[in-house]
Amino acid sequence: MRARTYRKLLDSGMRLIQQRGLVSVAEIAADAGVSRATAYRYFPSRSRLVSAVVEESLGPVRRFDSARTDGRARLRDLFDQTFPRFKVFEAQLRAAMQLALEHWAMERAAVLAEEPFRRGHRTQILHRAAHPLRQQLGAARYARLLCALSLVYGIEPYVVLKDMWGLRDREVEAVSRWVLDALIDAALREVRGARSGQNATTRTGPARAGSNSARPNRRRNPSHLPF
C-alpha cells in the first residue's frame, strides 16, 4: 500500500512538472487524489519531491559505468547515454534548477522555511566516468577538468543553448560533445607542454644568472598560471 501511494504521488509529480513546471506537494496530492497529510508524509517538502523526481529522471545515469579503460571514451559514452534523458526529462530538470536558485535567494534573505534543495550528483557521475584520466593529468589538472566538464554536463547547456541561441536538442548535444573533446584535448596538451618544458630544462641545465631565461616574465601566459 505504501509503495503504491508513493508511486501514485511520484507519477503525479512527474506529470505535473512536465506540464506546468515546478509544483507544490499540495498540488500533486490533489492530482493523485491523496490527502495533503498523506502526501506530506511521503514528501515533507518540495526539496524531497524534486529530489525524487530527479532520481526518477536520472537514476540510470547516476549508476553509469563503462567497460572501457580510456577516460575520453568513457566520458563520450556518458554523454551519449545521458543527453537523450536530459531531452526527455528537460522540464523536470529545469524545475530542479529553478528550486535550487529559489532556495539560494531565500537563504540569502534568511526567509527559507523548508529544507534546502541541493544539487551536485554530477560531480560523482563525472568522476566515475573520467577517473582513468587522473593518472595522465595529475590530481590538480584532473580536478580542474572535472570542474570544467560540469559546466557542459547537465541541464545548463539546454538552458543556454536553447533559450539564448535557439538551438535544437540535437545541436545542443553536438556542441556539448565538441566542448567535451576540446576540454580533454586542452588538458592533455597542457601536460605534454609541461613535460616538454621539464625535458628542456634537464637537457640545458639551470639558467645562468643574468641570462634572459633567468629574468622574471612579467607577461605570463595564462595557460601556465596555477589552477
Side-chain angles (χ1 to χ4, degrees):
M1 178 64 178
R2 286 182 58 84
R4 187 161 60 248
T5 302
Y6 176 87
R7 186 74 248 174
K8 193 173 184 180
L9 287 165
L10 182 56
D11 287 345
S12 289
M14 295 288 292
R15 185 177 64 257
L16 289 182
I17 290 175
Q18 180 72 39
Q19 296 169 352
R20 308 178 193 172
L22 187 61
V23 295
S24 67
V25 178
E27 287 176 287
I28 70 163
D31 182 80
V34 174
S35 71
R36 290 190 182 188
T38 298
Y40 277 106
R41 283 200 296 271
Y42 288 91
F43 301 113
S45 65
R46 290 183 301 166
S47 295
R48 297 287 184 88
L49 170 62
V50 171
S51 292
V53 166
V54 171
E55 176 63 34
E56 181 75 6
S57 304
L58 296 182
V61 172
R62 290 183 178 178
R63 296 184 290 273
F64 168 85
D65 203 358
S66 173
R68 298 175 186 259
T69 58
D70 177 73
R72 185 195 297 265
R74 290 171 63 88
L75 283 166
R76 284 176 172 173
D77 286 348
L78 174 64
F79 273 52
D80 288 345
Q81 292 185 30
T82 303
F83 275 78
R85 293 192 72 86
F86 288 159
K87 178 171 62 178
V88 172
F89 298 106
E90 181 179 348
Q92 288 83 358
L93 298 173
R94 281 178 179 259
M97 174 185 283
Q98 179 184 343
L99 185 61
L101 293 173
E102 179 184 321
H103 279 183
W104 177 85
M106 294 175 74
E107 279 190 295
R108 283 173 57 87
V111 295
L112 183 61
E114 64 180 332
E115 176 187 1
F117 177 67
R118 304 297 189 202
R119 303 166 74 207
H121 293 284
R122 77 185 69 186
T123 58
Q124 294 88 356
I125 294 171
L126 287 168
H127 170 63
R128 190 160 58 246
H131 69 85
L133 287 168
R134 191 180 191 279
Q135 185 174 1
Q136 294 173 259
L137 300 176
R141 288 190 178 93
Y142 176 73
R144 182 173 58 182
L145 175 64
L146 292 188
C147 288
L149 290 175
S150 69
L151 299 175
V152 292
Y153 179 79
I155 194 60
E156 290 82 359
Y158 281 84
V159 174
V160 173
L161 297 175
K162 292 180 76 171
D163 297 2
M164 298 181 185
W165 291 93
L167 299 192
R168 297 185 296 271
D169 292 320
R170 184 168 297 180
E171 292 171 322
V172 173
E173 294 180 31
V175 170
S176 299
R177 177 73 172 266
W178 183 85
V179 174
L180 165 67
D181 282 328
L183 289 172
I184 295 173
D185 287 341
L188 294 174
R189 188 164 55 245
E190 190 177 81
V191 171
R192 290 193 295 269
R195 288 174 179 167
S196 297
Q198 291 173 355
N199 291 339
T201 300
T202 301
R203 287 195 300 270
T204 60
R208 294 189 304 274
S211 69
N212 289 337
S213 59
R215 295 170 186 166
N217 182 2
R218 301 185 185 280
R219 300 180 62 186
R220 300 178 67 189
N221 186 330
S223 65
H224 296 155
L225 294 176
F227 173 52

mmCIF file with all atom_site columns, all heavy atoms in Angstrom, residues 174-200:
data_model
loop_
_atom_site.group_PDB
_atom_site.id
_atom_site.type_symbol
_atom_site.label_atom_id
_atom_site.label_alt_id
_atom_site.label_comp_id
_atom_site.label_asym_id
_atom_site.label_entity_id
_atom_site.label_seq_id
_atom_site.pdbx_PDB_ins_code
_atom_site.Cartn_x
_atom_site.Cartn_y
_atom_site.Cartn_z
_atom_site.occupancy
_atom_site.B_iso_or_equiv
_atom_site.pdbx_formal_charge
_atom_site.auth_seq_id
_atom_site.auth_comp_id
_atom_site.auth_asym_id
_atom_site.auth_atom_id
_atom_site.pdbx_PDB_model_num
ATOM 1   N N   . ALA A 1 174 ? 25.456 18.110 -29.809 1.00 0.00 ? 174 ALA A N   1
ATOM 2   C CA  . ALA A 1 174 ? 26.670 18.207 -30.626 1.00 0.00 ? 174 ALA A CA  1
ATOM 3   C C   . ALA A 1 174 ? 27.636 19.235 -30.047 1.00 0.00 ? 174 ALA A C   1
ATOM 4   O O   . ALA A 1 174 ? 28.851 18.993 -29.982 1.00 0.00 ? 174 ALA A O   1
ATOM 5   C CB  . ALA A 1 174 ? 26.302 18.571 -32.062 1.00 0.00 ? 174 ALA A CB  1
ATOM 6   N N   . VAL A 1 175 ? 27.132 20.383 -29.629 1.00 0.00 ? 175 VAL A N   1
ATOM 7   C CA  . VAL A 1 175 ? 28.002 21.405 -29.053 1.00 0.00 ? 175 VAL A CA  1
ATOM 8   C C   . VAL A 1 175 ? 28.624 20.900 -27.758 1.00 0.00 ? 175 VAL A C   1
ATOM 9   O O   . VAL A 1 175 ? 29.829 21.067 -27.513 1.00 0.00 ? 175 VAL A O   1
ATOM 10  C CB  . VAL A 1 175 ? 27.213 22.710 -28.793 1.00 0.00 ? 175 VAL A CB  1
ATOM 11  C CG1 . VAL A 1 175 ? 28.047 23.693 -27.966 1.00 0.00 ? 175 VAL A CG1 1
ATOM 12  C CG2 . VAL A 1 175 ? 26.801 23.354 -30.113 1.00 0.00 ? 175 VAL A CG2 1
ATOM 13  N N   . SER A 1 176 ? 27.827 20.251 -26.911 1.00 0.00 ? 176 SER A N   1
ATOM 14  C CA  . SER A 1 176 ? 28.339 19.740 -25.640 1.00 0.00 ? 176 SER A CA  1
ATOM 15  C C   . SER A 1 176 ? 29.406 18.678 -25.871 1.00 0.00 ? 176 SER A C   1
ATOM 16  O O   . SER A 1 176 ? 30.430 18.642 -25.171 1.00 0.00 ? 176 SER A O   1
ATOM 17  C CB  . SER A 1 176 ? 27.191 19.185 -24.795 1.00 0.00 ? 176 SER A CB  1
ATOM 18  O OG  . SER A 1 176 ? 26.248 20.193 -24.495 1.00 0.00 ? 176 SER A OG  1
ATOM 19  N N   . ARG A 1 177 ? 29.188 17.829 -26.846 1.00 0.00 ? 177 ARG A N   1
ATOM 20  C CA  . ARG A 1 177 ? 30.178 16.797 -27.174 1.00 0.00 ? 177 ARG A CA  1
ATOM 21  C C   . ARG A 1 177 ? 31.468 17.445 -27.697 1.00 0.00 ? 177 ARG A C   1
ATOM 22  O O   . ARG A 1 177 ? 32.574 17.017 -27.343 1.00 0.00 ? 177 ARG A O   1
ATOM 23  C CB  . ARG A 1 177 ? 29.586 15.851 -28.220 1.00 0.00 ? 177 ARG A CB  1
ATOM 24  C CG  . ARG A 1 177 ? 30.526 14.752 -28.715 1.00 0.00 ? 177 ARG A CG  1
ATOM 25  C CD  . ARG A 1 177 ? 30.749 13.681 -27.687 1.00 0.00 ? 177 ARG A CD  1
ATOM 26  N NE  . ARG A 1 177 ? 31.497 12.572 -28.269 1.00 0.00 ? 177 ARG A NE  1
ATOM 27  C CZ  . ARG A 1 177 ? 30.937 11.493 -28.792 1.00 0.00 ? 177 ARG A CZ  1
ATOM 28  N NH1 . ARG A 1 177 ? 29.634 11.358 -28.804 1.00 0.00 ? 177 ARG A NH1 1
ATOM 29  N NH2 . ARG A 1 177 ? 31.690 10.523 -29.296 1.00 0.00 ? 177 ARG A NH2 1
ATOM 30  N N   . TRP A 1 178 ? 31.343 18.486 -28.504 1.00 0.00 ? 178 TRP A N   1
ATOM 31  C CA  . TRP A 1 178 ? 32.518 19.203 -29.009 1.00 0.00 ? 178 TRP A CA  1
ATOM 32  C C   . TRP A 1 178 ? 33.308 19.822 -27.864 1.00 0.00 ? 178 TRP A C   1
ATOM 33  O O   . TRP A 1 178 ? 34.541 19.760 -27.832 1.00 0.00 ? 178 TRP A O   1
ATOM 34  C CB  . TRP A 1 178 ? 32.065 20.272 -30.003 1.00 0.00 ? 178 TRP A CB  1
ATOM 35  C CG  . TRP A 1 178 ? 33.196 21.028 -30.635 1.00 0.00 ? 178 TRP A CG  1
ATOM 36  C CD1 . TRP A 1 178 ? 33.921 20.670 -31.731 1.00 0.00 ? 178 TRP A CD1 1
ATOM 37  C CD2 . TRP A 1 178 ? 33.734 22.276 -30.183 1.00 0.00 ? 178 TRP A CD2 1
ATOM 38  N NE1 . TRP A 1 178 ? 34.879 21.628 -32.005 1.00 0.00 ? 178 TRP A NE1 1
ATOM 39  C CE2 . TRP A 1 178 ? 34.795 22.626 -31.067 1.00 0.00 ? 178 TRP A CE2 1
ATOM 40  C CE3 . TRP A 1 178 ? 33.428 23.137 -29.132 1.00 0.00 ? 178 TRP A CE3 1
ATOM 41  C CZ2 . TRP A 1 178 ? 35.534 23.786 -30.919 1.00 0.00 ? 178 TRP A CZ2 1
ATOM 42  C CZ3 . TRP A 1 178 ? 34.165 24.299 -28.983 1.00 0.00 ? 178 TRP A CZ3 1
ATOM 43  C CH2 . TRP A 1 178 ? 35.206 24.622 -29.872 1.00 0.00 ? 178 TRP A CH2 1
ATOM 44  N N   . VAL A 1 179 ? 32.601 20.441 -26.921 1.00 0.00 ? 179 VAL A N   1
ATOM 45  C CA  . VAL A 1 179 ? 33.273 21.045 -25.771 1.00 0.00 ? 179 VAL A CA  1
ATOM 46  C C   . VAL A 1 179 ? 33.969 19.974 -24.944 1.00 0.00 ? 179 VAL A C   1
ATOM 47  O O   . VAL A 1 179 ? 35.089 20.181 -24.449 1.00 0.00 ? 179 VAL A O   1
ATOM 48  C CB  . VAL A 1 179 ? 32.275 21.845 -24.907 1.00 0.00 ? 179 VAL A CB  1
ATOM 49  C CG1 . VAL A 1 179 ? 32.948 22.351 -23.639 1.00 0.00 ? 179 VAL A CG1 1
ATOM 50  C CG2 . VAL A 1 179 ? 31.702 23.015 -25.698 1.00 0.00 ? 179 VAL A CG2 1
ATOM 51  N N   . LEU A 1 180 ? 33.333 18.827 -24.772 1.00 0.00 ? 180 LEU A N   1
ATOM 52  C CA  . LEU A 1 180 ? 33.952 17.715 -24.046 1.00 0.00 ? 180 LEU A CA  1
ATOM 53  C C   . LEU A 1 180 ? 35.312 17.371 -24.643 1.00 0.00 ? 180 LEU A C   1
ATOM 54  O O   . LEU A 1 180 ? 36.328 17.316 -23.924 1.00 0.00 ? 180 LEU A O   1
ATOM 55  C CB  . LEU A 1 180 ? 33.034 16.490 -24.094 1.00 0.00 ? 180 LEU A CB  1
ATOM 56  C CG  . LEU A 1 180 ? 33.651 15.137 -23.701 1.00 0.00 ? 180 LEU A CG  1
ATOM 57  C CD1 . LEU A 1 180 ? 34.006 15.122 -22.228 1.00 0.00 ? 180 LEU A CD1 1
ATOM 58  C CD2 . LEU A 1 180 ? 32.717 13.989 -24.053 1.00 0.00 ? 180 LEU A CD2 1
ATOM 59  N N   . ASP A 1 181 ? 35.365 17.154 -25.956 1.00 0.00 ? 181 ASP A N   1
ATOM 60  C CA  . ASP A 1 181 ? 36.630 16.792 -26.598 1.00 0.00 ? 181 ASP A CA  1
ATOM 61  C C   . ASP A 1 181 ? 37.642 17.934 -26.517 1.00 0.00 ? 181 ASP A C   1
ATOM 62  O O   . ASP A 1 181 ? 38.837 17.703 -26.305 1.00 0.00 ? 181 ASP A O   1
ATOM 63  C CB  . ASP A 1 181 ? 36.381 16.417 -28.062 1.00 0.00 ? 181 ASP A CB  1
ATOM 64  C CG  . ASP A 1 181 ? 35.818 15.011 -28.212 1.00 0.00 ? 181 ASP A CG  1
ATOM 65  O OD1 . ASP A 1 181 ? 36.155 14.152 -27.390 1.00 0.00 ? 181 ASP A OD1 1
ATOM 66  O OD2 . ASP A 1 181 ? 35.019 14.784 -29.147 1.00 0.00 ? 181 ASP A OD2 1
ATOM 67  N N   . ALA A 1 182 ? 37.167 19.169 -26.669 1.00 0.00 ? 182 ALA A N   1
ATOM 68  C CA  . ALA A 1 182 ? 38.082 20.316 -26.615 1.00 0.00 ? 182 ALA A CA  1
ATOM 69  C C   . ALA A 1 182 ? 38.719 20.451 -25.241 1.00 0.00 ? 182 ALA A C   1
ATOM 70  O O   . ALA A 1 182 ? 39.912 20.750 -25.116 1.00 0.00 ? 182 ALA A O   1
ATOM 71  C CB  . ALA A 1 182 ? 37.323 21.595 -26.979 1.00 0.00 ? 182 ALA A CB  1
ATOM 72  N N   . LEU A 1 183 ? 37.952 20.236 -24.190 1.00 0.00 ? 183 LEU A N   1
ATOM 73  C CA  . LEU A 1 183 ? 38.486 20.348 -22.834 1.00 0.00 ? 183 LEU A CA  1
ATOM 74  C C   . LEU A 1 183 ? 39.500 19.245 -22.545 1.00 0.00 ? 183 LEU A C   1
ATOM 75  O O   . LEU A 1 183 ? 40.546 19.496 -21.939 1.00 0.00 ? 183 LEU A O   1
ATOM 76  C CB  . LEU A 1 183 ? 37.348 20.293 -21.816 1.00 0.00 ? 183 LEU A CB  1
ATOM 77  C CG  . LEU A 1 183 ? 36.445 21.530 -21.764 1.00 0.00 ? 183 LEU A CG  1
ATOM 78  C CD1 . LEU A 1 183 ? 35.235 21.268 -20.867 1.00 0.00 ? 183 LEU A CD1 1
ATOM 79  C CD2 . LEU A 1 183 ? 37.215 22.747 -21.266 1.00 0.00 ? 183 LEU A CD2 1
ATOM 80  N N   . ILE A 1 184 ? 39.205 18.023 -22.974 1.00 0.00 ? 184 ILE A N   1
ATOM 81  C CA  . ILE A 1 184 ? 40.146 16.932 -22.766 1.00 0.00 ? 184 ILE A CA  1
ATOM 82  C C   . ILE A 1 184 ? 41.431 17.195 -23.553 1.00 0.00 ? 184 ILE A C   1
ATOM 83  O O   . ILE A 1 184 ? 42.546 17.012 -23.044 1.00 0.00 ? 184 ILE A O   1
ATOM 84  C CB  . ILE A 1 184 ? 39.521 15.578 -23.170 1.00 0.00 ? 184 ILE A CB  1
ATOM 85  C CG1 . ILE A 1 184 ? 38.346 15.241 -22.249 1.00 0.00 ? 184 ILE A CG1 1
ATOM 86  C CG2 . ILE A 1 184 ? 40.575 14.460 -23.106 1.00 0.00 ? 184 ILE A CG2 1
ATOM 87  C CD1 . ILE A 1 184 ? 37.565 14.016 -22.679 1.00 0.00 ? 184 ILE A CD1 1
ATOM 88  N N   . ASP A 1 185 ? 41.288 17.626 -24.800 1.00 0.00 ? 185 ASP A N   1
ATOM 89  C CA  . ASP A 1 185 ? 42.472 17.946 -25.614 1.00 0.00 ? 185 ASP A CA  1
ATOM 90  C C   . ASP A 1 185 ? 43.318 19.028 -24.942 1.00 0.00 ? 185 ASP A C   1
ATOM 91  O O   . ASP A 1 185 ? 44.556 18.933 -24.907 1.00 0.00 ? 185 ASP A O   1
ATOM 92  C CB  . ASP A 1 185 ? 42.046 18.422 -27.006 1.00 0.00 ? 185 ASP A CB  1
ATOM 93  C CG  . ASP A 1 185 ? 41.522 17.296 -27.877 1.00 0.00 ? 185 ASP A CG  1
ATOM 94  O OD1 . ASP A 1 185 ? 41.814 16.117 -27.556 1.00 0.00 ? 185 ASP A OD1 1
ATOM 95  O OD2 . ASP A 1 185 ? 40.811 17.580 -28.861 1.00 0.00 ? 185 ASP A OD2 1
ATOM 96  N N   . ALA A 1 186 ? 42.681 20.051 -24.428 1.00 0.00 ? 186 ALA A N   1
ATOM 97  C CA  . ALA A 1 186 ? 43.417 21.142 -23.792 1.00 0.00 ? 186 ALA A CA  1
ATOM 98  C C   . ALA A 1 186 ? 44.167 20.652 -22.559 1.00 0.00 ? 186 ALA A C   1
ATOM 99  O O   . ALA A 1 186 ? 45.324 21.028 -22.322 1.00 0.00 ? 186 ALA A O   1
ATOM 100 C CB  . ALA A 1 186 ? 42.451 22.262 -23.413 1.00 0.00 ? 186 ALA A CB  1
ATOM 101 N N   . ALA A 1 187 ? 43.522 19.800 -21.759 1.00 0.00 ? 187 ALA A N   1
ATOM 102 C CA  . ALA A 1 187 ? 44.166 19.282 -20.552 1.00 0.00 ? 187 ALA A CA  1
ATOM 103 C C   . ALA A 1 187 ? 45.365 18.413 -20.901 1.00 0.00 ? 187 ALA A C   1
ATOM 104 O O   . ALA A 1 187 ? 46.439 18.539 -20.283 1.00 0.00 ? 187 ALA A O   1
ATOM 105 C CB  . ALA A 1 187 ? 43.153 18.497 -19.723 1.00 0.00 ? 187 ALA A CB  1
ATOM 106 N N   . LEU A 1 188 ? 45.224 17.546 -21.886 1.00 0.00 ? 188 LEU A N   1
ATOM 107 C CA  . LEU A 1 188 ? 46.329 16.676 -22.282 1.00 0.00 ? 188 LEU A CA  1
ATOM 108 C C   . LEU A 1 188 ? 47.457 17.477 -22.934 1.00 0.00 ? 188 LEU A C   1
ATOM 109 O O   . LEU A 1 188 ? 48.642 17.176 -22.725 1.00 0.00 ? 188 LEU A O   1
ATOM 110 C CB  . LEU A 1 188 ? 45.829 15.596 -23.237 1.00 0.00 ? 188 LEU A CB  1
ATOM 111 C CG  . LEU A 1 188 ? 44.851 14.577 -22.630 1.00 0.00 ? 188 LEU A CG  1
ATOM 112 C CD1 . LEU A 1 188 ? 44.306 13.649 -23.710 1.00 0.00 ? 188 LEU A CD1 1
ATOM 113 C CD2 . LEU A 1 188 ? 45.533 13.765 -21.526 1.00 0.00 ? 188 LEU A CD2 1
ATOM 114 N N   . ARG A 1 189 ? 47.107 18.488 -23.709 1.00 0.00 ? 189 ARG A N   1
ATOM 115 C CA  . ARG A 1 189 ? 48.123 19.336 -24.337 1.00 0.00 ? 189 ARG A CA  1
ATOM 116 C C   . ARG A 1 189 ? 48.930 20.083 -23.280 1.00 0.00 ? 189 ARG A C   1
ATOM 117 O O   . ARG A 1 189 ? 50.139 20.253 -23.401 1.00 0.00 ? 189 ARG A O   1
ATOM 118 C CB  . ARG A 1 189 ? 47.439 20.315 -25.286 1.00 0.00 ? 189 ARG A CB  1
ATOM 119 C CG  . ARG A 1 189 ? 48.398 21.117 -26.151 1.00 0.00 ? 189 ARG A CG  1
ATOM 120 C CD  . ARG A 1 189 ? 47.659 21.773 -27.319 1.00 0.00 ? 189 ARG A CD  1
ATOM 121 N NE  . ARG A 1 189 ? 46.555 22.583 -26.869 1.00 0.00 ? 189 ARG A NE  1
ATOM 122 C CZ  . ARG A 1 189 ? 45.271 22.313 -27.140 1.00 0.00 ? 189 ARG A CZ  1
ATOM 123 N NH1 . ARG A 1 189 ? 44.939 21.236 -27.842 1.00 0.00 ? 189 ARG A NH1 1
ATOM 124 N NH2 . ARG A 1 189 ? 44.316 23.117 -26.713 1.00 0.00 ? 189 ARG A NH2 1
ATOM 125 N N   . GLU A 1 190 ? 48.257 20.500 -22.226 1.00 0.00 ? 190 GLU A N   1
ATOM 126 C CA  . GLU A 1 190 ? 48.946 21.192 -21.136 1.00 0.00 ? 190 GLU A CA  1
ATOM 127 C C   . GLU A 1 190 ? 49.955 20.277 -20.457 1.00 0.00 ? 190 GLU A C   1
ATOM 128 O O   . GLU A 1 190 ? 51.067 20.697 -20.110 1.00 0.00 ? 190 GLU A O   1
ATOM 129 C CB  . GLU A 1 190 ? 47.911 21.682 -20.119 1.00 0.00 ? 190 GLU A CB  1
ATOM 130 C CG  . GLU A 1 190 ? 48.465 22.607 -19.063 1.00 0.00 ? 190 GLU A CG  1
ATOM 131 C CD  . GLU A 1 190 ? 47.372 23.108 -18.148 1.00 0.00 ? 190 GLU A CD  1
ATOM 132 O OE1 . GLU A 1 190 ? 46.992 22.353 -17.224 1.00 0.00 ? 190 GLU A OE1 1
ATOM 133 O OE2 . GLU A 1 190 ? 46.882 24.231 -18.347 1.00 0.00 ? 190 GLU A OE2 1
ATOM 134 N N   . VAL A 1 191 ? 49.583 19.011 -20.277 1.00 0.00 ? 191 VAL A N   1
ATOM 135 C CA  . VAL A 1 191 ? 50.509 18.044 -19.674 1.00 0.00 ? 191 VAL A CA  1
ATOM 136 C C   . VAL A 1 191 ? 51.715 17.839 -20.573 1.00 0.00 ? 191 VAL A C   1
ATOM 137 O O   . VAL A 1 191 ? 52.854 17.829 -20.110 1.00 0.00 ? 191 VAL A O   1
ATOM 138 C CB  . VAL A 1 191 ? 49.794 16.703 -19.416 1.00 0.00 ? 191 VAL A CB  1
ATOM 139 C CG1 . VAL A 1 191 ? 50.795 15.628 -19.004 1.00 0.00 ? 191 VAL A CG1 1
ATOM 140 C CG2 . VAL A 1 191 ? 48.738 16.867 -18.338 1.00 0.00 ? 191 VAL A CG2 1
ATOM 141 N N   . ARG A 1 192 ? 51.474 17.691 -21.875 1.00 0.00 ? 192 ARG A N   1
ATOM 142 C CA  . ARG A 1 192 ? 52.591 17.498 -22.797 1.00 0.00 ? 192 ARG A CA  1
ATOM 143 C C   . ARG A 1 192 ? 53.517 18.709 -22.795 1.00 0.00 ? 192 ARG A C   1
ATOM 144 O O   . ARG A 1 192 ? 54.740 18.571 -22.845 1.00 0.00 ? 192 ARG A O   1
ATOM 145 C CB  . ARG A 1 192 ? 52.070 17.225 -24.217 1.00 0.00 ? 192 ARG A CB  1
ATOM 146 C CG  . ARG A 1 192 ? 51.399 15.866 -24.379 1.00 0.00 ? 192 ARG A CG  1
ATOM 147 C CD  . ARG A 1 192 ? 51.196 15.533 -25.850 1.00 0.00 ? 192 ARG A CD  1
ATOM 148 N NE  . ARG A 1 192 ? 50.267 16.455 -26.486 1.00 0.00 ? 192 ARG A NE  1
ATOM 149 C CZ  . ARG A 1 192 ? 48.960 16.262 -26.558 1.00 0.00 ? 192 ARG A CZ  1
ATOM 150 N NH1 . ARG A 1 192 ? 48.417 15.177 -26.016 1.00 0.00 ? 192 ARG A NH1 1
ATOM 151 N NH2 . ARG A 1 192 ? 48.176 17.130 -27.167 1.00 0.00 ? 192 ARG A NH2 1
ATOM 152 N N   . GLY A 1 193 ? 52.926 19.904 -22.728 1.00 0.00 ? 193 GLY A N   1
ATOM 153 C CA  . GLY A 1 193 ? 53.738 21.105 -22.686 1.00 0.00 ? 193 GLY A CA  1
ATOM 154 C C   . GLY A 1 193 ? 54.583 21.180 -21.431 1.00 0.00 ? 193 GLY A C   1
ATOM 155 O O   . GLY A 1 193 ? 55.756 21.568 -21.474 1.00 0.00 ? 193 GLY A O   1
ATOM 156 N N   . ALA A 1 194 ? 54.015 20.788 -20.314 1.00 0.00 ? 194 ALA A N   1
ATOM 157 C CA  . ALA A 1 194 ? 54.766 20.812 -19.055 1.00 0.00 ? 194 ALA A CA  1
ATOM 158 C C   . ALA A 1 194 ? 55.915 19.818 -19.098 1.00 0.00 ? 194 ALA A C   1
ATOM 159 O O   . ALA A 1 194 ? 57.020 20.103 -18.634 1.00 0.00 ? 194 ALA A O   1
ATOM 160 C CB  . ALA A 1 194 ? 53.828 20.506 -17.894 1.00 0.00 ? 194 ALA A CB  1
ATOM 161 N N   . ARG A 1 195 ? 55.673 18.651 -19.669 1.00 0.00 ? 195 ARG A N   1
ATOM 162 C CA  . ARG A 1 195 ? 56.733 17.638 -19.753 1.00 0.00 ? 195 ARG A CA  1
ATOM 163 C C   . ARG A 1 195 ? 57.842 18.084 -20.691 1.00 0.00 ? 195 ARG A C   1
ATOM 164 O O   . ARG A 1 195 ? 59.027 17.860 -20.423 1.00 0.00 ? 195 ARG A O   1
ATOM 165 C CB  . ARG A 1 195 ? 56.140 16.312 -20.217 1.00 0.00 ? 195 ARG A CB  1
ATOM 166 C CG  . ARG A 1 195 ? 55.283 15.629 -19.149 1.00 0.00 ? 195 ARG A CG  1
ATOM 167 C CD  . ARG A 1 195 ? 54.609 14.394 -19.697 1.00 0.00 ? 195 ARG A CD  1
ATOM 168 N NE  . ARG A 1 195 ? 53.804 13.735 -18.675 1.00 0.00 ? 195 ARG A NE  1
ATOM 169 C CZ  . ARG A 1 195 ? 52.907 12.788 -18.916 1.00 0.00 ? 195 ARG A CZ  1
ATOM 170 N NH1 . ARG A 1 195 ? 52.705 12.377 -20.178 1.00 0.00 ? 195 ARG A NH1 1
ATOM 171 N NH2 . ARG A 1 195 ? 52.221 12.239 -17.937 1.00 0.00 ? 195 ARG A NH2 1
ATOM 172 N N   . SER A 1 196 ? 57.461 18.735 -21.802 1.00 0.00 ? 196 SER A N   1
ATOM 173 C CA  . SER A 1 196 ? 58.475 19.228 -22.736 1.00 0.00 ? 196 SER A CA  1
ATOM 174 C C   . SER A 1 196 ? 59.356 20.267 -22.069 1.00 0.00 ? 196 SER A C   1
ATOM 175 O O   . SER A 1 196 ? 60.572 20.299 -22.258 1.00 0.00 ? 196 SER A O   1
ATOM 176 C CB  . SER A 1 196 ? 57.808 19.836 -23.970 1.00 0.00 ? 196 SER A CB  1
ATOM 177 O OG  . SER A 1 196 ? 57.075 18.855 -24.670 1.00 0.00 ? 196 SER A OG  1
ATOM 178 N N   . GLY A 1 197 ? 58.731 21.127 -21.259 1.00 0.00 ? 197 GLY A N   1
ATOM 179 C CA  . GLY A 1 197 ? 59.491 22.136 -20.548 1.00 0.00 ? 197 GLY A CA  1
ATOM 180 C C   . GLY A 1 197 ? 60.463 21.525 -19.551 1.00 0.00 ? 197 GLY A C   1
ATOM 181 O O   . GLY A 1 197 ? 61.602 21.969 -19.419 1.00 0.00 ? 197 GLY A O   1
ATOM 182 N N   . GLN A 1 198 ? 60.023 20.487 -18.861 1.00 0.00 ? 198 GLN A N   1
ATOM 183 C CA  . GLN A 1 198 ? 60.892 19.803 -17.907 1.00 0.00 ? 198 GLN A CA  1
ATOM 184 C C   . GLN A 1 198 ? 62.060 19.141 -18.620 1.00 0.00 ? 198 GLN A C   1
ATOM 185 O O   . GLN A 1 198 ? 63.206 19.193 -18.153 1.00 0.00 ? 198 GLN A O   1
ATOM 186 C CB  . GLN A 1 198 ? 60.086 18.773 -17.125 1.00 0.00 ? 198 GLN A CB  1
ATOM 187 C CG  . GLN A 1 198 ? 59.080 19.387 -16.158 1.00 0.00 ? 198 GLN A CG  1
ATOM 188 C CD  . GLN A 1 198 ? 58.187 18.335 -15.544 1.00 0.00 ? 198 GLN A CD  1
ATOM 189 O OE1 . GLN A 1 198 ? 58.243 17.156 -15.902 1.00 0.00 ? 198 GLN A OE1 1
ATOM 190 N NE2 . GLN A 1 198 ? 57.344 18.752 -14.610 1.00 0.00 ? 198 GLN A NE2 1
ATOM 191 N N   . ASN A 1 199 ? 61.776 18.515 -19.762 1.00 0.00 ? 199 ASN A N   1
ATOM 192 C CA  . ASN A 1 199 ? 62.848 17.855 -20.510 1.00 0.00 ? 199 ASN A CA  1
ATOM 193 C C   . ASN A 1 199 ? 63.874 18.864 -21.017 1.00 0.00 ? 199 ASN A C   1
ATOM 194 O O   . ASN A 1 199 ? 65.076 18.618 -20.997 1.00 0.00 ? 199 ASN A O   1
ATOM 195 C CB  . ASN A 1 199 ? 62.259 17.082 -21.693 1.00 0.00 ? 199 ASN A CB  1
ATOM 196 C CG  . ASN A 1 199 ? 61.455 15.881 -21.242 1.00 0.00 ? 199 ASN A CG  1
ATOM 197 O OD1 . ASN A 1 199 ? 61.621 15.390 -20.128 1.00 0.00 ? 199 ASN A OD1 1
ATOM 198 N ND2 . ASN A 1 199 ? 60.546 15.403 -22.102 1.00 0.00 ? 199 ASN A ND2 1
ATOM 199 N N   . ALA A 1 200 ? 63.386 20.039 -21.467 1.00 0.00 ? 200 ALA A N   1
ATOM 200 C CA  . ALA A 1 200 ? 64.317 21.069 -21.959 1.00 0.00 ? 200 ALA A CA  1
ATOM 201 C C   . ALA A 1 200 ? 65.199 21.579 -20.829 1.00 0.00 ? 200 ALA A C   1
ATOM 202 O O   . ALA A 1 200 ? 66.397 21.802 -21.003 1.00 0.00 ? 200 ALA A O   1
ATOM 203 C CB  . ALA A 1 200 ? 63.521 22.226 -22.574 1.00 0.00 ? 200 ALA A CB  1
#
